[in-house]
Each structure stands twice: as C-alpha cells, then as structure tokens.
Amino acid sequence: MIKKKKSKSFKFLPFSPKQNKLLNWWREESPHHDKDMIIADGSIRSGKTIACICSFLLFTQETFPNGENFILAGKTMGALKKNVVKPMIQILTAWGWTYNYNRSENYIEIGNNTYYMYGANTEASQDALQGLTAAGAYADEAALFPQSFIDQMIGRCSVEGAKVFMNCNPEGPHHYVKAEFIDKAKEKNVYHLHFTMDDNLSLSQKVKDRFRRMFTGVFFKRFILGLWVASDGLIYQQFADNPDEFMIDDEWLQKNPIMYGTIGVDFGGNTSAHSFKFTGFTYQYKEVVTVMEYYRHERITPKQLNEDFIDFVRRVQSKYKCYEAYCDSAEQTLISGMEAAIVEAGITLDIKNAIKGPINDRIAFYNSMMAQGRYKIHKSCTHLKSAFEEAVYDEDEPTKDVRLDDGKMDIDSLDSQEYSTEYIQNDIMYINVA
Ligand SMILES: Nc1ncnc2c1ncn2[C@@H]1O[C@H](COP(=O)(O)OP(=O)(O)OP(=O)(O)O)[C@@H](O)[C@H]1O
Ligand SMILES: [Mg+2]
C-alpha cells in the first residue's frame, strides 16, 4: 500500500554548531568530505538522530539525483520506524519534499532514490541486505547492532562515492564500534563527532537536569556523559545499596492502584529455575511494580508447570487486569503446551514470545526506573529482590556487558522480570522527563 503524505511537520529549532558539522561534513567545502563514514556518538537526546537524518537525506538527494538504493537501519524494525522514519517523514513534510512510504514492504521512495528499511536484529534482514547494492547507509543506534550486520551494511555500499552514516550511545570501551571505527578512525577513513546534551539547543536546562537524574553508575557515564566506559561489579548498585527503599506492601498497593499488568515467564532447564513475574503499572505508568512472583527450582513435568502457571494466572487475574504473558521464546514446545492449557482452563490470556532485545537496553531500563524512584517490588517477591541485589557483571567477559551466570545467580528472575516490561520499556522510561 502506497501512502501519500499527511504527516505532522517537524518544528525545527536552530541547529547547534556540532549538528551543523554533522549536517555538512560530506559537502565539497568541508575538510572531511573525502571520509567514507561518519560516526556521531555521545549522550542521549543530544540531537544526533535528527541531524543525521537531515544530513543523510541531503547527501543522498544532492549527490545521487539519478536513482540509487540506500539502507536505513535500526536496532529493530520497530525502533527504526519510531526513532528514524517517523521524524524523517515529519522533516520531509517540513521541507515540502514528496515521498512514497510503502509501509508493508518497508521502503521509502524520495525523488529517484529508494531507501530500504532494515531491523538489524533479525536474520531475515541480514539475508535481505545481502542482495543489495547501495550508495549509502544510515544506521541509528549502531552500537546495538550485531557486528555482522554492520560489516554487511558497509560491504553493500559499493557505489562510487557511497558514504555510511552511523550514530550511537556509548557502550563498553572494547565494543567493536569503538575499537574498530572510532579508535581506528584515521586508518578506516572515519569522521568521528562526539555529542553531549549541550549540542542540542532544543533542550532547556530543566529538561537536561531531569535527564541527568535518569541514570546512575555506568549508565550515567555512558548515556549522560557520553563516555565509552566499562561496566564492573554490581549491576544494580543503587538497589543493592538500599533494597528496602524499593520494597512495598499491600497498603502501598491500595494507595497506588495498578491499572493493569503483564506476566513475564522464563522456563527452567537443567540448572535453572522456572520463574513467573507479574508486573503492574500504576496510573499513567508512573510506577512499575513487581506485584507477584513464582519461582521453582526443582525439575517438574510440563503438566505440573502448566498447572502452576494456571494457578499463578488465576491469582493474578482475581485481583488485577492482565491480558498478556511474554515467555522465553527459546522454548516453543513449552509455550504451545501452556497456550493449550490456558485455553482448556477457560482463561483469557495472550501468550506471546518475549522480545529478547539487547540485554543492555533491559538493564538500562531498570537502572533508570530505579534512579527515578519509579520501580517497586512487593515484599513477597523475595527471589527477585535477591536477584537484583546480587547480580554482577562477568569479569571474564570484559569486552561485553555480560551478567555473571555461574549457576548460583538467579538470572531466571531477572529474565522473567525483564520479559514482562520489555515490550513497553522505551515508552515508559521517558514519561514525565521530556
Ligand atoms: N534542530 C532541532 N530542532 C528541533 N528539535 C530538535 C533539534 N535537534 C534535536 N531536536 C529534538 O531533541 C530531541 C533529541 O534529539 P535526537 O533524537 O536527535 O537525539 P539523539 O542524540 O539521537 O538521542 P538518543 O541518543 O536518545 O537517540 C528530539 O526530540 C529531537 O526532535
Ligand atoms: Mg537517536
């Protein structure tokens, strides 16, 4: 289906000097115009994406007026549509450029050029990319892509004069984007631009201060200061320092009613546990509250598991609105069994696959909700409480942020907790911040 424009128009405010560099680096008069790639890294909300979109549109249209293919990539197709395509359409509307956006086939035609959209997280996307010859690529939040996708994307840009535009927030200091492109910028002919929130003139001091309060620890250093720093030690330091600050009781729940909630399910294996969490949301998503948990470490039959799950869902639904459960997608047989058991028991509940996106996104979400005082745990959820208190990064994996999973750590509680909020985490995190 081809959809013509009927979008809101982007309300431009003045670009900062840094944004102007990003906008114009590829132009003849820029000292960097012979570079093959630009990487804009740094703080959240620093104006990287908006300036990168404008720059990419102008570069591709001015340099290749006769019809070429281009790549637009996000960490997932959903994130690409929300973070890039949506503002891009508003920008096109503001500029008065016409376009055809094919929403079902995921491409946009502007002038003679076609921009193909990819979610970096799926195999299908990587396969689709393989057949393409492109004159440029735009990668939003590139540090969350598998390296294979980035390599493939760069490899596809074989048209003479092609350029790659990337932006990202920092990860660890040994992350491949840092090690391969930023640290080797000269050798790889990369132009590196570093952004902080002061490079976004649309943010008031008050809003910047609110963002600063959104993160603690390593995430503060990465997302606010924009530094590529290593994670180490306790993952949820703030929680471990003062767990009681996060615990709530029935009285709290009476004063702060739960609008509705979602269940997260992690299935146990040989050494791991079965874990269910019911997470509720208070009015306007002000708080995210783990209200009930189930945790069973011993081996049980699928039949027993289904009975336990039905019992859990009944307890949840007797008190709260709950329509969905997100389950570990690695266990399709158990999921199917559960679905059948739910139907047979006459329970209305949508059983879905957990998203299982980047682990750092999930950790950052809980870090932020804790920092904002918006995450609570009912005192009955003792397994989850311990899991948050004890979780540490794996010292043997210094190049990646890996949670230590030595069989003693309760990763199952953390996974099931995260599955219950992952589908909505990005929307909730910034509520009331900007
Ligand atoms: N020149 C501008 N005019 C108007 N609004 C702007 C401008 N530059 C940035 N913004 C707005 O500031 C906010 C943050 O900008 P943007 O999304 O580009 O930041 P980012 O660095 O990509 O952030 P993140 O790292 O969180 O993805 C957005 O709401 C964006 O629309
Ligand atoms: Mg961005």
Side-chain angles (χ1 to χ4, degrees), residues 9 34 45 62 80 92 99 116 173 193 201 217 227 245 284 289 293 297 302 336 373 382 405 419 424:
S9 171
D34 58 344
R45 294 302 184 259
E62 290 185 25
L80 178 72
L92 292 169
Y99 60 87
Y116 292 98
L193 266 182
L201 304 181
L227 305 172
E245 200 180 288
Q284 290 184 337
V289 189
E293 78 171 354
H297 205 273
S336 311
T382 52
D405 187 2
Y419 297 160
I424 204 175

Side-chain angles (χ1 to χ4, degrees), residues 10-15 19 42-51 140-141 167 169 200 202-203 430:
F10 192 82
K11 300 256 177 317
F12 280 106
L13 290 166
F15 284 111
Q19 283 185 313
S43 327
I44 56 162
R45 294 302 184 259
S46 55
K48 305 181 298 294
T49 293
I50 290 301
D140 197 63
E141 301 190 81
N167 69 59
N169 301 122
N200 181 354
S202 79
L203 302 179
Y430 288 106

Side-chain angles (χ1 to χ4, degrees), residues 15-135:
F15 284 111
S16 66
K18 194 63 71 63
Q19 283 185 313
N20 272 317
K21 282 190 181 173
L22 173 47
L23 272 174
N24 297 307
W25 69 282
W26 49 270
R27 291 184 190 277
E28 203 60 39
E29 51 276 23
S30 156
H32 303 283
H33 75 271
D34 58 344
K35 302 264 171 31
D36 298 318
M37 189 191 298
I38 186 164
I39 298 184
D41 71 349
S43 327
I44 56 162
R45 294 302 184 259
S46 55
K48 305 181 298 294
T49 293
I50 290 301
C52 226
I53 294 171
C54 293
S55 185
F56 189 66
L57 285 172
L58 292 166
F59 162 73
T60 54
Q61 291 294 316
E62 290 185 25
T63 316
F64 300 100
N66 299 325
E68 294 288 351
N69 298 321
F70 296 94
I71 296 163
L72 289 179
K75 65 179 170 181
T76 62
M77 184 59 84
L80 178 72
K81 288 186 174 176
K82 187 157 170 264
N83 301 335
V84 177
V85 175
K86 196 172 159 212
M88 185 168 172
I89 298 290
Q90 294 176 0
I91 288 166
L92 292 169
T93 305
W95 288 349
W97 292 15
T98 51
Y99 60 87
N100 288 323
Y101 177 13
N102 189 317
R103 284 164 205 266
S104 49
E105 302 284 324
N106 294 323
Y107 65 83
I108 303 169
E109 291 170 318
I110 307 169
N112 294 318
N113 291 335
T114 309
Y115 302 75
Y116 292 98
M117 296 155 58
Y118 300 90
N121 65 329
T122 61
E123 290 282 327
S125 257
Q126 304 213 15
D127 291 350
L129 199 54
Q130 229 156 27
L132 195 77
T133 302

Side-chain angles (χ1 to χ4, degrees), residues 43-45 169 197 203 205-225 235-236 238 246 285-286 360-375 424-434:
S43 327
I44 56 162
R45 294 302 184 259
N169 301 122
M197 282 194 281
L203 302 179
Q205 191 55 44
K206 221 167 133 188
V207 166
K208 282 189 270 194
D209 289 343
R210 281 210 292 266
F211 281 127
R212 292 178 76 86
R213 289 195 292 269
M214 272 185 76
F215 295 98
T216 57
V218 69
F219 292 101
F220 181 85
K221 290 183 194 154
R222 290 180 185 172
F223 293 166
I224 303 302
L225 303 179
I235 301 178
Y236 309 95
Q238 194 186 356
F246 299 87
Y285 297 96
K286 184 159 180 284
N360 266 356
D361 262 17
R362 302 190 232 151
I363 298 175
F365 171 69
Y366 280 94
N367 179 285
S368 180
M369 296 309 281
M370 288 170 183
Q372 294 181 56
R374 294 169 58 197
Y375 180 61
I424 204 175
Q425 66 189 14
N426 291 338
D427 296 321
I428 297 179
M429 196 156 97
Y430 288 106
I431 281 175
N432 297 329
V433 181

Side-chain angles (χ1 to χ4, degrees), residues 132-308:
L132 195 77
T133 302
Y138 171 74
D140 197 63
E141 301 190 81
L144 298 171
F145 293 17
Q147 181 171 2
S148 56
F149 188 94
I150 297 212
D151 290 342
Q152 171 90 256
M153 184 183 83
I154 293 170
R156 301 329 302 164
C157 292
S158 55
V159 174
E160 181 68 31
K163 290 190 192 295
V164 174
F165 294 55
M166 286 197 217
N167 69 59
C168 60
N169 301 122
E171 294 277 320
H174 305 288
H175 189 282
Y176 68 88
V177 168
K178 175 77 162 55
E180 287 304 311
F181 301 112
I182 296 178
D183 292 346
K184 294 184 187 161
K186 214 168 168 186
E187 172 188 331
K188 298 241 165 120
N189 209 22
V190 172
Y191 179 36
H192 172 216
L193 266 182
H194 184 73
F195 279 70
T196 69
M197 282 194 281
D198 292 335
D199 295 312
N200 181 354
L201 304 181
S202 79
L203 302 179
S204 67
Q205 191 55 44
K206 221 167 133 188
V207 166
K208 282 189 270 194
D209 289 343
R210 281 210 292 266
F211 281 127
R212 292 178 76 86
R213 289 195 292 269
M214 272 185 76
F215 295 98
T216 57
V218 69
F219 292 101
F220 181 85
K221 290 183 194 154
R222 290 180 185 172
F223 293 166
I224 303 302
L225 303 179
L227 305 172
W228 296 80
V229 289
S231 56
D232 77 307
L234 288 165
I235 301 178
Y236 309 95
Q237 180 80 51
Q238 194 186 356
F239 188 92
D241 285 346
N242 203 348
D244 291 337
E245 200 180 288
F246 299 87
M247 307 312 286
I248 52 126
D249 54 16
D250 292 340
E251 202 185 321
W252 189 96
L253 284 170
Q254 268 159 20
K255 285 192 199 132
N256 301 274
I258 299 294
M259 292 187 300
Y260 81 100
T262 322
I263 293 172
V265 174
D266 193 32
F267 298 110
N270 284 338
T271 57
S272 55
H274 296 290
S275 171
F276 316 146
K277 307 284 180 238
F278 172 65
T279 306
F281 307 105
T282 58
Y283 183 60
Q284 290 184 337
Y285 297 96
K286 184 159 180 284
E287 281 103 3
V288 169
V289 189
T290 307
V291 182
M292 278 186 215
E293 78 171 354
Y294 161 95
Y295 182 89
R296 196 156 175 181
H297 205 273
E298 70 265 37
R299 296 196 78 163
I300 50 173
T301 62
K303 186 167 173 287
Q304 181 67 54
L305 177 70
N306 290 341
E307 282 171 18
D308 287 1

Side-chain angles (χ1 to χ4, degrees), residues 231-237 240 359 363 386-397 400-406 408-411 414:
S231 56
D232 77 307
L234 288 165
I235 301 178
Y236 309 95
Q237 180 80 51
I359 189 93
I363 298 175
S386 306
F388 274 129
E389 274 180 287
E390 288 163 16
V392 286
Y393 288 107
D394 190 341
E395 284 176 12
D396 293 338
E397 294 268 12
K400 301 185 200 121
D401 297 335
V402 177
R403 277 197 289 232
L404 178 66
D405 187 2
D406 60 357
K408 293 187 205 102
M409 292 293 170
D410 180 6
I411 298 293
L414 298 176

